[in-house]
Amino acid sequence: MDTKTILNFGSGPAKLPKPVLIQAQKELLDYNGLGISILEMSHRTSDFNQIINSAESLLRELLSIPANYKVLFMQGGGTGQFSAVALNLIGLKEDRCADYIVTGTWSAGAAKEAEKHGKVNVVHPKMDRYTGIPDSSSWSLNPSASYVYFCCNETVHGIEFNFIPDTKDVILVSDMSSNFLSRPVDVSKFGLIFAGAQKNVGCAGVTIVIVREDLLGKALKECPTILDYNVQAKNNSLHNTPPTYSIYIVKLVLEWIKNNGGTDAMNKLSKQKSSMIYDIINNSNGFYSCPIDVSCRSRMNIPFRIGNMEGDEALEREFLEGASKLGMISLKGHRSVGGVRASLYNAVTVEETQALATYMKEFLHKH
Ligand code: PLP
């Protein structure tokens, strides 16, 4: 029986590359001739060790991670890291304070969580709406902050940093959950990077943390062992049972990224795909509108309204229903902002993006 072709523009858990799913299916019942599934395999076996070690070395290769950084595979999602970052790093300096650049829902959530463990300074005036990145010349960074935190791509609003904030000597922490491995990153500029896997690098259940070694071992005493980076680093992320299957899927996705040209190729494709959609928005005479400043529009998540700047709900409903009939799913904007959102992570192909672009043009002509 033919399955209907589905074009998944969801924001996460998101589309996985087809070859990854095919390989996972092939290996599901019997991994590597062992007669058992990875789902049934102890995390203490040499076979699982090979999986986690090759996931780590692929990641090191893809991002040229310097030797003085640890790679951890953790649980608790991005939200778990909001706590883990503060619990591990806010005590780096006596004042126990941290600077947060708040450009959307996720960085706001991280700042709120950090407030439980120390003083949080939002470095710019509070924004009524998240539509851009406040000009860095207006930031008041605190030189005695333990770290400066930012979310590299705000998934809900579609705001992406295309520069690395200059924090002088204060260490920089970034949530890259929704643009991880979509472009090269100079890891040496960061104290810590984390990313939930379920958007660009795998399925839900595992969060990747890349952390500079000298920042380990400084966790607050109330930090739960499971969130302590030092404990995880010393145990090769195997302090307790890790999300074994999710780590295996990450390994497959990293292989796929490597075989498809690495982060440079992903970057090129991301620019190409996002331009296809933004070009239509920009040339639609206001029929489609994206509220985000042009300089920080996300290549990963493109939110837009239809009909007028506030969005004509009837038109948006018609758009989403029409898309769904064509097999294009998960285009509804986040419930907090409404409208439409197209997520174009690494696994979304140029052809799929083209299909969406064509539909957008047809919808525009119809109205
Ligand atoms: N950070 C970003 C940028 C996200 O997009 C999300 C979820 O979508 C999170 C953090 C929270 O991740 P989780 O749901 O894995 O806790």
Side-chain angles (χ1 to χ4, degrees):
M1 193 179 76
D2 272 356
T3 47
K4 188 178 166 194
T5 304
I6 293 294
L7 284 64
N8 183 355
F9 295 102
S11 62
K15 182 177 194 278
L16 282 160
K18 202 53 177 246
V20 165
L21 292 174
I22 291 170
Q23 190 168 347
Q25 184 185 40
K26 212 170 85 194
E27 295 179 331
L28 181 65
L29 291 180
D30 182 1
Y31 179 70
N32 222 3
L34 295 171
I36 59 164
S37 169
I38 291 172
L39 290 163
E40 305 165 305
M41 182 189 289
S42 161
H43 58 292
R44 304 285 175 205
T45 56
S46 60
D47 293 290
F48 183 73
N49 254 288
Q50 268 175 23
I51 291 171
I52 194 166
N53 290 342
S54 61
E56 173 172 345
S57 51
L58 281 160
L59 189 64
R60 286 190 176 276
E61 185 184 337
L62 286 167
L63 284 178
S64 307
I65 300 176
N68 63 326
Y69 283 74
K70 293 285 186 196
V71 172
L72 312 176
F73 297 94
M74 297 185 63
Q75 300 190 61
T79 309
Q81 289 307 309
F82 298 169
S83 306
V85 162
L87 284 159
N88 281 274
L89 305 181
I90 210 160
L92 282 175
K93 291 189 191 159
E94 241 175 72
D95 289 357
R96 268 206 198 186
C97 58
D99 279 351
Y100 276 73
I101 305 166
V102 176
T103 52
T105 304
W106 297 115
S107 43
K112 192 157 172 243
E113 204 58 38
E115 276 171 7
K116 295 180 184 167
H117 309 293
K119 278 172 264 161
V120 166
N121 167 42
V122 175
V123 305
H124 49 78
K126 194 173 176 324
M127 287 185 277
D128 294 335
R129 283 179 79 209
Y130 297 117
T131 54
I133 300 171
D135 185 357
S136 60
S137 63
S138 72
W139 299 351
S140 60
L141 295 168
N142 170 6
S144 27
S146 293
Y147 59 87
V148 178
Y149 180 105
F150 75 108
C151 176
C152 201
N153 184 68
E154 283 285 357
T155 322
V156 171
H157 309 278
I159 297 172
E160 184 173 19
F161 278 72
N162 58 20
F163 65 97
I164 299 179
D166 178 8
T167 60
K168 310 285 181 260
D169 294 328
V170 179
I171 69 153
L172 189 57
V173 172
S174 187
D175 173 1
M176 295 194 185
S177 293
S178 50
N179 63 354
F180 197 52
L181 292 180
S182 68
R183 62 181 185 200
V185 171
D186 182 353
V187 174
S188 71
K189 295 265 192 312
F190 295 81
L192 183 143
I193 292 168
F194 72 84
Q198 66 269 28
K199 297 164 196 302
N200 256 330
V201 286
C203 62
V206 64
T207 304
I208 294 167
V209 176
I210 303 169
V211 56
R212 218 173 64 199
E213 270 171 359
D214 60 301
L215 305 176
L216 299 174
K218 316 269 169 54
L220 302 180
K221 68 174 183 331
E222 59 268 34
C223 179
T225 310
I226 190 74
L227 292 182
D228 189 325
Y229 297 139
N230 200 28
V231 172
Q232 294 293 358
K234 281 193 174 140
N235 291 286
N236 198 27
S237 305
L238 299 173
H239 167 70
N240 69 328
T241 315
T244 49
Y245 199 75
S246 303
I247 292 170
Y248 157 73
I249 295 289
V250 165
K251 185 198 88 133
L252 295 186
V253 175
L254 297 178
E255 279 168 356
W256 177 83
I257 293 176
K258 183 178 168 185
N259 294 337
N260 284 278
T263 49
D264 282 324
M266 296 301 130
N267 190 24
K268 226 170 115 203
L269 282 172
S270 296
K271 284 185 192 157
Q272 186 189 350
K273 290 182 293 181
S274 54
S275 303
M276 286 159 74
I277 303 301
Y278 283 124
D279 284 351
I280 293 172
I281 294 172
N282 294 340
N283 295 315
S284 70
N285 263 333
F287 181 73
Y288 295 117
S289 58
C290 172
I292 308 306
D293 296 345
V294 173
S295 61
C296 54
R297 286 183 173 177
S298 170
R299 300 156 311 136
M300 298 286 110
N301 313 97
I302 306 183
F304 59 92
R305 305 301 311 231
I306 306 179
N308 57 57
M309 299 280 278
E310 304 311 317
D312 176 324
E313 281 185 21
L315 269 183
E316 289 177 347
R317 207 173 316 115
E318 186 188 331
F319 180 89
L320 292 170
E321 281 167 12
S324 168
K325 284 193 187 124
L326 296 170
M328 299 181 200
I329 63 160
S330 299
L331 279 163
K332 200 169 191 299
H334 189 270
R335 59 190 182 282
S336 63
V337 291
V340 181
R341 172 177 51 172
S343 295
L344 306 175
Y345 298 126
N346 288 343
V348 175
T349 64
V350 172
E351 292 71 30
E352 288 166 337
T353 313
Q354 184 57 57
L356 174 62
T358 303
Y359 173 62
M360 286 175 71
K361 273 193 213 148
E362 284 169 6
F363 192 81
L364 168 67
H365 289 140
K366 189 173 150 201
H367 293 277

